Amino acid sequence: MRVLMATGPSITIGDQPTFKLFGLTFDTYVIVATLIAAAIVLLLGWRASSRASSGVPSKLQLFFEFLIEQVSELTNSVLGEEGSNYVGI
């Protein structure tokens, strides 16, 4: 019978590429992932708004309406009725 022993971790935790700007440290992976997620949401939103109709809504349009309604309800539950003044949805 053969036993394999680990020699040590090959991945170091907390060793991501970062850069400093105005005394703040930014994690490059987080910024890239955020930009990719924002681009996907903006493209889907643009597509949903360009195909929006007053008739039967598409699945994408229903999803965005659901998402906007949930954000509105969350802000109203946290900030009260005047919360809609602070959230521009």
Side-chain angles (χ1 to χ4, degrees):
M1 181 162 78
R2 190 175 195 185
V3 178
L4 297 175
M5 302 286 285
T7 59
S10 61
I11 300 173
T12 55
I13 298 173
D15 189 25
Q16 293 89 17
T18 59
F19 65 93
K20 291 190 178 224
L21 183 66
F22 302 117
L24 300 172
T25 303
F26 294 95
D27 187 358
T28 307
Y29 290 152
V30 172
I31 292 173
V32 169
T34 302
L35 290 174
I36 291 171
I40 290 170
V41 169
L42 288 173
L43 286 173
L44 287 174
W46 175 75
R47 184 166 186 238
S49 66
S50 67
R51 296 181 183 210
S53 65
S54 59
V56 177
S58 66
K59 292 179 183 178
L60 187 60
Q61 184 179 351
L62 284 173
F63 173 73
F64 271 95
E65 288 179 9
F66 170 76
L67 196 63
I68 288 171
E69 183 66 29
Q70 291 299 315
V71 170
S72 297
E73 287 180 10
L74 178 67
T75 56
N76 284 340
S77 69
V78 173
L79 299 174
E81 291 298 322
E82 65 272 1
S84 61
N85 296 332
Y86 300 105
V87 179
I89 293 181

